[in-house]
Amino acid sequence: MSLPKTIAVIGAGVMGRGIAQLACSTGAVVRLYDVRPDAIDDAIAFIGKMLLRQAEKGTIARADADRQIANLHAAATLTDLADVDLVIEAAREDLATKQQLFKELETIVGKDTILASNTSSLSITALAAACADPARVAGLHFFNPAPLMKVVEVIPAVQTAEVTVARLTDFVHAFGHRAVRAEDSPGFLINHAGRGLGTEALRILQEGIAPVEEIDRVVRDVIGLKMGPFELFDLTGMDVSSAVLTQIHAGFEQDPRLRSSHLARRQVEAGRFGRKSGRGWYEYDGDKRIEPNEPPSNADLRPVWVEPNADASSWLRTLVVAAGAPLDTGATPDDASLLLVSPLGQDATVTATALGLDPTRTVAVDSWLGRGKRRGAMTTSVTRPAYREAARAVLTADGSRVTITHDSPGFVAPRILANIVNTAADIAQQRIATPADIDDAVRLGLGYPMGPLSLGDKYGPTHIVAVLDAMADFYGDPRYRVSPWLRRRAMLGVSLLTPES
């Protein structure tokens, strides 16, 4: 399938200039249009500077840079776009504005010209419906900065022809990015998948289970993401993130899985947007985030009794002995011993009660995800501080760090991981995208160490289902209902990446 030889980019802002730079790299002639002529001039100068910088670094040959710069032109009016093969619109995020633009373009360009929108949130189907020929309209969603973010969502409307999708996919591959197909739905693919992290982090904070900095530490150190959810909110801007959270929740008819929190709205009302306002979930000194220090570990060691029938009993006993604490090996614990339990999905209170243990001395340890450089633990509602700190001393004796939270079914890391995986699984269940596209899109677009379905495979679908079921039972909230995609593959013992046969 032939690539477009002439491409128009409408909108010379940050996204438009990045898209135009990529379009130039395919060898096409690129025409850049904006209602502000000075913005076009600035964008062309910027793109030229970027291309020459690539040539200086040896990323591209100087002759290629010169050729691409020569192929980039300003368009004074929309009529200058009459002969283009592809239009990529990156204008203001307003449906009526885009519909009017596309209707006008249809009277100017040829009948085979594709009309693509870089919208991040508006309905492609509604945009296409305003056109005389909706079959040639599709979404082509780039991420900022477009040259560096190596994924692009190709989004067909209900009316879009398959040939349009195929031509756009080939175009994306021509400049070396990964094209992922996402059906037209709120948030498309990547923004939808990203809700799994932020919404559950907000719920954990709202419930008073852990403070912002500890949630972020767990997500970084245990799950392995580059940034915690609140760091990410501060980077993107809470005003932007809160609007996306609300929009996707409403778009899916208030699906409880995607429910946000009043805490997000409160941050916006307070003007605490994040880095750009100097205050967000964190305080900032210039660009430097001010993060509270981790609690010290300076408690005295005391005898420790370990739940005998848990899967992690041997691991926990080894930690206790290595820490130098006396190991209570009695069938029932002594009256002064610290009591360590390791539930999966249940909270510390439920576990202590079921085992007949003294809840004032009980601390639960996450033995599923918390065996690495950061461990997770939680107290019951009445655990005495001396026993909490004794647990901290044992769990950090070998140099590991620990996050000790208030009681929660599932701990912090398992809750967030389960929500990330469950959200992605339901995207697959709804056929919004293929499993392979979901994994690649999230890895490339959100910077996860691996795709969410691969994360589910790594840590075990049956464990994730167990955590979700336990939370659903405890809270009685359909937010934690297990996606059919996830439950069936867990029951079958197959990878979450397994497509429907």
Side-chain angles (χ1 to χ4, degrees), residues 283-334:
E283 302 287 339
Y284 290 86
D285 181 5
D287 289 334
K288 184 180 180 181
R289 175 169 52 86
I290 301 172
E291 182 172 329
N293 294 326
E294 299 212 31
S297 176
N298 51 18
D300 293 333
L301 295 171
R302 61 176 64 225
V304 181
W305 179 88
V306 175
E307 178 187 359
N309 298 320
D311 292 341
S313 297
S314 176
W315 172 67
L316 283 173
R317 289 193 187 96
T318 299
L319 282 183
V320 171
V321 171
L327 186 62
D328 179 351
T329 58
T332 57
D334 290 341

Side-chain angles (χ1 to χ4, degrees), residues 440-457:
D440 282 352
V442 171
R443 181 174 53 81
L444 294 170
L446 298 179
Y448 286 20
M450 60 180 68
L453 299 176
S454 292
L455 275 172
D457 284 345

Side-chain angles (χ1 to χ4, degrees), residues 295-302 323-325 338 384-397 404:
S297 176
N298 51 18
D300 293 333
L301 295 171
R302 61 176 64 225
L338 165 67
R384 282 179 271 168
Y387 286 91
R388 179 193 65 220
E389 295 311 310
R392 189 188 306 278
V394 168
L395 294 171
T396 59
I404 302 180

Side-chain angles (χ1 to χ4, degrees), residues 240-260:
V240 175
S241 295
S242 181
V244 172
L245 287 165
T246 300
Q247 183 180 57
I248 293 177
H249 181 226
F252 279 101
E253 306 298 331
Q254 286 74 47
D255 184 340
R257 278 199 194 98
L258 302 167
R259 187 192 310 127
S260 182

Side-chain angles (χ1 to χ4, degrees), residues 463-477:
H463 280 58
I464 291 168
V465 168
V467 169
L468 290 165
D469 280 343
M471 288 196 292
D473 181 66
F474 184 89
Y475 289 113
D477 189 344

Side-chain angles (χ1 to χ4, degrees), residues 426-461:
D426 216 54
I427 291 173
Q429 179 64 48
Q430 295 180 54
R431 277 56 171 184
I432 292 170
T434 66
D437 277 1
I438 293 168
D439 257 24
D440 282 352
V442 171
R443 181 174 53 81
L444 294 170
L446 298 179
Y448 286 20
M450 60 180 68
L453 299 176
S454 292
L455 275 172
D457 284 345
K458 176 180 178 180
Y459 291 109

